[in-house]
Amino acid sequence: MTTQSTQSVPTGIVLNIQRYCSHDGPGIRTTVFLKGCSLRCKWCGNPESINQKPELGYDPKLCVGKNKCGLCMQPPFPQGAFYTMNGPDDTIHVNWDLAVQCSEETVALCPTKALYMYGTRMTVDKVLDEVEKDSSFYRSSGGGMTVSGGECMLQPEFTAALLDGAHKRGFNTAIETACNVPWRFIEQVLPHVDTMLHDHKLSIPERHKKWTGVDNTRILDNFKRAYETFPDIDFIARTPLIPGVNADEEHIRAVLAFIRPHKNVIDYELLPYHRFGLGKYEFLGRIYELNDYKSPSPELVQGLQAIIDEAFGRTKTTAAAS
Amino acid sequence: MIEAIGHGSFLRRIAINAGAGYVPGMNAAIMGVALSAGKLGWETVGIRNGFDGLLHPELYHDGGLVTLDPQLIDNLDPDGSGVLGQSAHVDPFNVRQVNEDGFVEELDLSDRVLERLKEENIDALISVVGGRGLSILYKLHLKGLNSVCIPRSIENDISATAVPFGFNTALSFTIEMLDRVRQAAQSARKIGVVEVLGERTGWLALQAGIAVRADAVLIPEIPGDLKFVASRLKDKISSRRPYGLVVVAEGAKLADSSSADAQVSSLKASLSPLATGEASEHVIERSGTAATTVANRLQLLIAEETYPMVLGPWVRGGSPTAVDRQLGLGYGSAAVRAVEAGEYGKMVAFAPPDMKFVPLADAINKIRTVPAECEFMQIARSLGICLGREL
C-alpha cells in the first residue's frame, strides 16, 4: 500500500482536510479524506479519491488560454498533453492520456493554478496539527476527527497512527469505510476507533459486483466480525440511496436484518444520492457512468426512513413534518 | 473467390483490433486489411474486444485471437457489425481488474500487450480507432509497438484525414430521420427540436441540417442566441407553414449561458461530498439535454409548441453506406501498404484522391471544427438557415 514509514513516522496520501463537518460522526468534526479506494462505485461522488497516487486535475475556469500563457504547451510539459482547437478560441484542452505523465513539479509551474494535483503525502503530525485547530469545537460539541476516503483502511498503518495520535490529543475518532479490505487491515485500525460509519451499498452479491466492481461476501464477513470483535465501538450503517439501484424496501430490510442482532450498531442512515461529484469527473477527464440517474424523491426517502425508524423503535414525529 | 493461403507458409503475421464503440464500415476495414495482407502472403489475426483478447486469452474459446482466413473473410458480411467485437475500455494503460487482495484497481498492462504480441509472433498492429484511440496507440508506438492506425469517426472530427469511415453512414441516417421528424412536425404543427451527435464539432448537424433545409442549426462552434433563433423562427412560421425544424448538435453552446458558466467557482477548495456546489454546477451535459434545453427555452420565447427528440445512439448502428464500405476497404488496404513500407507510428489519411500516412504525433489533438467561413456555412446562409446568431 502507499503508506510509507520513514524513521517510524508513517506518512500517507491525503486528499483533503475538511473542517466543520457535521455528518461524519458525532458533533462538529474535521474529516481527513485519504486517497485510494478498493471499489469502483458507479455513482462515486469523489472520483478524485479513487486513485491511490496523486493525480492531475484541470479547472478550465482558471486557465487564461494559450495567447496569454500557453506555458503548458511547451517543455517540460509532455508533448501533446495540452492543446487548443483550431479557430480563434485559445482555450486549453487536456489530452488526458498524455497528461498523466506530468510530474508534480511540472504541474506546479502552471501560474494560474488551473493545473493542480489531487493528493499530497503528509505525516501524521502534520495532519493532526491541522485537525487540532478546531479542538475547542470538538470539546463543546462532542466532535472530533473522522478519517474517510476513498477507503481509509487501504492505508492501514497511516490511518491507525492518525487515529491513535488523535486519541492521544484527546479527540474522539471516527472512520468512514466500505471494509473491502483484508481483516488484517481492519484489526490494525479499529482498536483506535470510537465510531465506525460503514456502507451497506447493495445486498445481493452479484448486484454489488455489478455496481461496485466486487461482490459483498468479504465485506459482510468483515462487518460481522467487526461488530463481534469490537463491542465498544459505535457502528453506524449507511446506504447511499440511488433510485433504480438500491433505493428499495427489500435492500433496506435486508440491511436491517443484518445489523439489528448487533446491539453496537446504533443507527442506520440513508444518504440520498446526489450528482455533486459530476463536475469533478470533468476536472479529471473521466466519464461519469451514472449520468442519467436522479436523486431519490423526498417521499421515497421518507418512506424508507420510516422502515428504519420502526426497526430501531423510534416514534415518528408527524407534528414536525406538518 | 479468394486465393487460399496454406498454413505455415506465411511470410509474416500482423494483427488488427478496434477501439470502443461501433462505427458502420468496421467489417469493410477488416476485409481490406485481411485481403491486402493475404495478397502479400501475410497472415492476419483479429484481436477480440480491443486488447482484451491479448490480455485475457483464457476468457475466449478461440484464445482471444481470430484468424482472419480467406474463408472467414469471403463470408464476412460487410453490412454486419464488427466481427472482432468492441470492448468498452480499450486502454491497456488503464486496465481495470480485481487484484489478489480483492481490490479493484487500474493497471498499466501496456508492457504485457507488447509481450503478448511478441509471443504470438505478431510484428505489426493495425488499429481502427477514433480520436482518443490515436493517443493511446501513439503511446504504445513510443514504447516500441509497430503501429498503424485507421481513423474512424461518427462526428468527422479527426482533422488529419479528409473523412474517416463511419461519418457518411451517420450523416445519411441522420438525414433520413430528420426528414421523418420534419413530416411529423408538419402534421402536428409544431417545431421539432432534434439533437444529433456532435459533442465537439457540428459537421453532422450542419450537413444534415442543410440537406433537410432545417430552419435553424446550432453547433458547438457557434454559441447560439436563442432570442435570435426565436425571432428567425417567428419570421418563417405562418398559417401557411405552421411548423419548424431545429437541429441541435449535442455539444451546442448557448451564448446566454456563458455568464452563468463564468460564475461557477472552482471545486478545488471543496472536495468533500458535503462541500461541493449545487447539482447544476459543472454538470456534464450529455446526450439528451441539448434538445430539451433548446426546445423548452424556445417555447418560452415564441407562441409555438416545440418538442425535443434525440437521435443520439440510433445513429451508431446499422449498415454502412456505399461510401463507408469503400472507405473501410480503402483504409484497410492502405494500412497494409503502410506496414509493408515500415511506416509505423502513422495514421492512414484520406487526402483525395490519395491515401497518405500521417505521423500519429501530428494526428492527435487535431480536432476538425467547422470554420466560420467554410463552404457549408456559406450554403446554410444562402438557404436561409439560421446558425444561431447573426454572422
Side-chain angles (χ1 to χ4, degrees):
Chain A
M1 307 321 301
T2 56
T3 300
Q4 286 184 358
S5 202
T6 318
Q7 296 170 345
S8 75
V9 180
T11 61
I13 304 291
V14 177
L15 178 63
N16 192 27
I17 300 174
Q18 186 79 41
R19 298 163 73 182
Y20 315 120
C21 298
S22 57
H23 293 81
D24 299 340
I28 295 172
R29 312 189 69 82
T30 295
T31 301
V32 181
F33 292 91
L34 303 188
K35 204 150 155 43
C37 189
S38 59
L39 297 176
R40 295 294 181 272
C41 304
K42 293 195 179 193
W43 56 80
C44 181
N46 288 325
E48 76 281 16
S49 71
I50 292 173
N51 193 331
Q52 277 207 316
K53 296 174 186 165
E55 62 189 318
L56 179 70
Y58 173 57
D59 184 350
K61 298 287 185 295
L62 296 178
C63 178
V64 295
K66 179 187 172 187
N67 296 338
K68 285 186 180 168
C69 176
L71 198 68
C72 58
M73 298 179 76
Q74 304 160 17
F77 288 89
Q79 187 190 357
F82 303 94
Y83 64 97
T84 55
M85 309 271 261
N86 58 354
D89 184 1
D90 74 330
T91 304
I92 301 283
H93 297 263
V94 182
N95 182 322
W96 292 96
D97 293 304
L98 301 177
V100 293
Q101 298 160 3
C102 282
S103 66
E104 288 183 56
E105 293 74 25
T106 304
V107 169
L109 296 174
C110 175
T112 65
K113 306 300 175 197
L115 295 174
Y116 51 90
M117 296 301 288
Y118 282 116
T120 184
R121 185 170 286 282
M122 295 178 78
T123 63
V124 168
D125 281 341
K126 195 170 177 189
V127 174
L128 290 175
D129 288 347
E130 190 67 23
V131 171
E132 185 141 28
K133 289 178 181 172
D134 290 326
S135 56
S136 59
F137 288 109
Y138 311 150
R139 278 191 291 275
S140 59
S141 69
M145 179 186 76
T146 299
V147 186
S148 182
E151 171 53 69
C152 64
M153 285 204 269
L154 276 183
Q155 302 183 50
E157 189 186 342
F158 179 66
T159 300
L162 209 50
L163 295 162
D164 184 39
H167 267 168
K168 285 176 179 158
R169 296 191 189 203
F171 309 150
N172 173 280
T173 64
I175 60 168
E176 288 184 311
T177 176
C179 271
N180 181 41
V181 291
W183 177 253
R184 66 178 187 278
F185 288 24
I186 297 169
E187 64 183 357
Q188 245 182 296
V189 172
L190 288 195
H192 311 290
V193 171
D194 298 317
T195 303
M196 178 171 125
L197 303 129
H198 59 295
D199 279 3
H200 287 260
K201 297 173 193 289
L202 291 116
S203 308
I204 301 169
E206 54 268 34
R207 296 197 73 235
H208 195 282
K209 185 173 182 180
K210 163 72 184 171
W211 292 98
T212 70
V214 296
D215 74 37
N216 59 349
T217 309
R218 175 174 68 174
I219 291 170
L220 292 179
D221 287 347
N222 283 339
F223 287 162
K224 189 166 184 290
R225 199 167 168 183
Y227 300 157
E228 291 167 354
T229 312
F230 297 94
D232 295 333
I233 293 178
D234 286 339
F235 291 92
I236 298 174
R238 288 176 144 187
T239 289
L241 211 56
I242 303 128
V245 177
N246 64 358
D248 61 280
E249 191 176 329
E250 188 181 351
H251 174 60
I252 303 303
R253 291 200 185 281
V255 175
L256 287 168
F258 185 87
I259 63 176
R260 286 306 285 145
H262 304 279
K263 298 303 169 201
N264 50 349
V265 184
I266 60 167
D267 205 352
Y268 178 23
E269 297 177 346
L270 299 177
L271 307 172
Y273 164 72
H274 58 66
R275 290 149 52 102
F276 291 175
L278 276 172
K280 292 186 280 186
Y281 282 82
E282 195 171 22
F283 289 4
L284 290 157
R286 293 193 202 146
I287 299 292
Y288 187 59
E289 296 182 60
L290 229 61
N291 196 52
D292 296 330
Y293 285 72
K294 306 291 182 197
S295 299
S297 67
E299 294 77 21
L300 177 63
V301 178
Q302 283 167 15
L304 297 175
Q305 184 63 51
I307 296 170
I308 295 169
D309 289 340
E310 186 185 1
F312 276 86
R314 293 191 285 249
T315 309
K316 192 178 177 188
T317 52
T318 48
S322 57
Chain B
M1 182 61 193
I2 299 166
E3 196 177 331
I5 301 168
H7 283 291
S9 62
F10 300 112
L11 297 173
R12 66 190 293 192
R13 195 176 198 223
I14 64 169
I16 179 171
N17 68 346
Y22 176 66
V23 173
M26 185 64 213
N27 273 2
I30 292 170
M31 290 167 92
V33 169
L35 291 172
S36 303
K39 275 288 183 191
L40 295 170
W42 302 354
E43 183 184 29
T44 306
V45 294
I47 303 169
R48 289 205 182 273
N49 290 320
F51 289 101
D52 202 52
L54 270 182
L55 294 172
H56 303 291
E58 71 282 0
L59 299 178
Y60 298 88
H61 72 280
D62 52 12
L65 298 178
V66 188
T67 302
L68 299 171
D69 58 40
Q71 287 73 29
L72 190 147
I73 293 299
D74 209 17
N75 291 302
L76 194 60
D77 181 1
D79 259 11
S81 60
V83 68
L84 303 180
Q86 289 92 34
S87 171
H89 305 283
V90 290
D91 179 2
F93 294 90
N94 282 291
V95 179
R96 184 174 292 180
Q97 58 183 43
V98 180
N99 70 14
E100 65 274 13
D101 279 324
F103 304 156
V104 188
E105 60 183 7
E106 286 75 24
L107 295 179
D108 179 355
L109 298 183
S110 55
D111 287 334
R112 182 68 185 139
V113 165
L114 299 180
E115 283 168 19
R116 286 284 294 125
L117 287 169
K118 204 170 182 179
E119 284 169 17
E120 296 290 345
N121 294 315
I122 294 166
D123 68 357
L125 174 66
I126 294 171
S127 300
V128 186
V129 290
R132 171 144 189 239
L134 292 175
S135 295
I136 292 167
L137 268 299
Y138 174 58
K139 282 168 72 178
L140 282 170
H141 171 66
L142 293 178
K143 294 191 80 167
L145 175 69
N146 292 335
S147 165
V148 171
C149 292
I150 293 174
R152 56 172 214 176
S153 172
I154 294 285
E155 294 187 26
N156 194 19
D157 56 354
I158 300 174
S159 181
T161 187
V163 59
F165 79 82
F167 173 69
N168 187 266
T169 306
L171 179 60
S172 301
F173 184 74
T174 301
I175 290 169
E176 183 188 334
M177 295 300 281
L178 289 176
D179 276 336
R180 294 178 185 219
V181 174
R182 183 192 186 85
Q183 287 162 7
Q186 210 164 350
S187 64
R189 299 181 168 230
K190 292 179 182 176
I191 298 173
V193 180
V194 186
E195 181 179 318
V196 304
L197 291 180
E199 206 165 329
R200 296 192 291 185
T201 70
W203 292 106
L204 203 57
L206 180 61
Q207 291 184 234
I210 288 171
V212 301
R213 290 159 291 114
D215 296 299
V217 175
L218 301 176
I219 60 177
E221 291 87 344
I222 304 171
D225 176 354
L226 287 185
K227 286 181 182 165
F228 177 73
V229 175
S231 72
R232 293 288 298 272
L233 284 169
K234 275 182 196 167
D235 294 342
K236 290 184 119 181
I237 294 171
S238 65
S239 57
R240 296 178 65 181
R241 188 184 180 278
Y243 68 93
L245 178 61
V246 177
V247 180
V248 185
E250 63 181 331
K253 294 171 187 153
L254 300 179
D256 59 1
S257 66
S258 58
S259 56
D261 286 347
Q263 292 169 8
V264 174
S265 60
S266 165
L267 288 175
K268 265 175 52 178
S270 51
L271 294 171
S272 83
L274 297 170
T276 49
E278 293 299 319
S280 59
E281 288 182 355
H282 291 294
V283 170
I284 303 166
E285 300 291 2
R286 297 186 68 78
S287 178
T289 56
T292 308
T293 303
V294 171
N296 289 346
R297 291 202 198 171
L298 277 179
Q299 196 164 264
L300 293 171
L301 293 167
I302 52 176
E304 304 293 338
E305 198 175 337
T306 63
Y307 67 98
M309 291 190 70
V310 183
L311 294 189
W314 297 94
V315 177
R316 291 195 177 274
S319 304
T321 57
V323 170
D324 278 336
R325 279 200 203 185
Q326 291 177 73
L327 280 174
L329 286 162
Y331 273 118
S333 160
V336 172
R337 289 203 302 278
V339 172
E340 186 183 20
E343 299 266 10
Y344 299 125
K346 302 275 177 79
M347 184 196 85
V348 181
F350 183 35
D354 302 316
M355 286 290 192
K356 293 187 173 175
F357 309 130
V358 179
L360 285 173
D362 295 336
I364 59 172
N365 299 340
K366 303 290 194 305
I367 315 295
R368 186 209 316 284
T369 52
V370 180
E373 295 306 320
C374 75
E375 190 59 34
F376 284 113
M377 296 288 274
Q378 303 279 12
I379 294 169
R381 281 194 286 266
S382 300
L383 294 176
I385 296 172
C386 171
L387 294 168
R389 62 198 304 176
E390 195 74 69
L391 293 169

